[in-house]
Amino acid sequence: ELKVEQNPLFLSMQEGKNYTIYCNYSTTSDRLYWYRQDPGKSLESLFVLLSNGAVKQEGRLMASLDTKARLSTLHITAAVHDLSATYFCAALFVMYSGGGADGLTFGKGTHLIIQP
Amino acid sequence: DVKVTQSSRYLVKRTGEKVFLECVQDMDHENMFWYRQDPGLGLRLIYFSYDVKMKEKGDIPEGYSVSREKKERFSLILESASTNQTSMYLCASSFPRETDLSWYFGPGTRLTVL
């Protein structure tokens, strides 16, 4: 059974600072997703990471994947208030042995507050 | 540009009622999923379907059932709603892994059971 652990679960930081959210997963997975969720809203896709060493960047957010360590990170550079949200990582796994059906197992989320 | 829709954003029901949550996707996806989201627990998979009339249990299926009579529609059924089923319910859909990377989530239904 695939388990996904995120840390920290809660993070309060000041604007302009850098920080990293960590995502560990317990068994082999060949795809790692990062999502953002604003209060009362659905999930917004941020990144999909496919291979070892993959790095993707969008604005002040950068995600990376180390499949050997089963670790993904989401790095925030020079945080701004608009990045306040809950961030989820999710790992893909095969649910149906007949093939074709994959599921996402989610971490518990990191509630990020960025203060002016 | 709407891709995954859910029948209600907010729903209030009484204990013991039968509750239907509907999800429709317009992308011809084979796979559809129901998750529930609770504070501090993240998203947990209730049921999924990989084809019409096919369904499999997820991690927390107790108290729920599902129906998929048409490819675009996946329904979650609470046979007899209980207060511990008060939650946010999210529907998602996807192609098989070989086809596409993307998962699409609906806007969510916040269900309160009194």
Side-chain angles (χ1 to χ4, degrees):
Chain A
E1 180 187 347
L2 178 62
K3 294 187 187 298
V4 178
E5 289 189 2
Q6 272 181 252
N7 68 85
L9 298 183
F10 181 82
L11 178 58
S12 179
M13 54 192 294
Q14 287 187 317
E15 281 191 327
K17 300 290 187 182
N18 303 332
Y19 210 82
T20 300
I21 300 170
Y22 297 89
C23 175
N24 288 93
Y25 53 99
S26 60
T27 62
T28 301
S29 174
D30 61 2
R31 202 175 296 176
L32 197 292
Y33 292 75
W34 284 97
Y35 290 92
R36 168 182 172 148
Q37 187 179 40
D38 293 301
K41 301 290 181 65
S42 189
L43 299 178
E44 174 190 350
S45 180
L46 294 175
F47 302 107
V48 182
L49 303 167
L50 299 181
S51 59
N52 190 43
V55 177
K56 291 195 174 180
Q57 184 163 3
E58 181 73 34
R60 300 174 188 275
L61 300 178
M62 183 174 72
S64 65
L65 180 62
D66 180 346
T67 57
K68 294 179 182 177
R70 296 177 186 157
L71 171 68
S72 181
T73 60
L74 181 67
H75 187 73
I76 303 156
T77 301
V80 293
H81 179 67
D82 286 351
L83 291 178
S84 296
T86 299
Y87 292 86
F88 290 95
C89 66
L92 192 74
F93 67 99
V94 176
M95 291 191 300
Y96 174 51
S97 59
D102 305 306
L104 285 182
T105 294
F106 284 81
K108 293 183 178 180
T110 297
H111 184 53
L112 175 63
I113 296 176
I114 300 170
Q115 299 174 353
Chain B
D1 191 38
V2 174
K3 298 183 184 300
V4 181
T5 58
Q6 295 181 227
S7 51
S8 304
R9 292 300 307 274
Y10 299 94
L11 210 52
V12 180
K13 296 293 182 180
R14 298 214 173 268
T15 301
E17 281 192 75
K18 189 169 187 176
V19 181
F20 293 86
L21 303 182
E22 304 284 338
C23 174
V24 177
Q25 50 95 4
D26 63 1
M27 295 164 286
D28 203 35
H29 284 166
E30 282 85 351
N31 301 332
M32 296 188 75
F33 309 84
W34 276 105
Y35 286 87
R36 67 176 278 177
Q37 182 179 13
D38 300 288
L41 296 179
L43 281 76
R44 294 177 292 167
L45 181 65
I46 306 171
Y47 265 98
F48 70 98
S49 168
Y50 51 91
D51 202 349
V52 176
K53 297 190 185 296
M54 306 304 287
K55 59 187 178 184
E56 292 287 339
K57 294 178 180 179
D59 298 320
I60 52 165
E62 295 78 19
Y64 303 94
S65 62
V66 290
S67 172
R68 193 166 180 200
E69 297 296 321
K70 293 184 178 181
K71 191 175 185 180
E72 67 271 18
R73 188 180 298 270
F74 191 35
S75 302
L76 180 69
I77 303 158
L78 287 66
E79 296 290 342
S80 178
S82 64
T83 55
N84 63 13
Q85 293 177 309
T86 292
S87 186
M88 169 74 95
Y89 291 87
L90 289 166
C91 173
S93 69
S94 74
F95 281 120
R97 64 168 62 206
E98 300 83 9
T99 308
D100 192 350
L101 300 177
S102 302
W103 277 53
Y104 296 87
F105 284 84
T109 296
R110 185 166 293 283
L111 172 67
T112 301
V113 182
L114 301 175

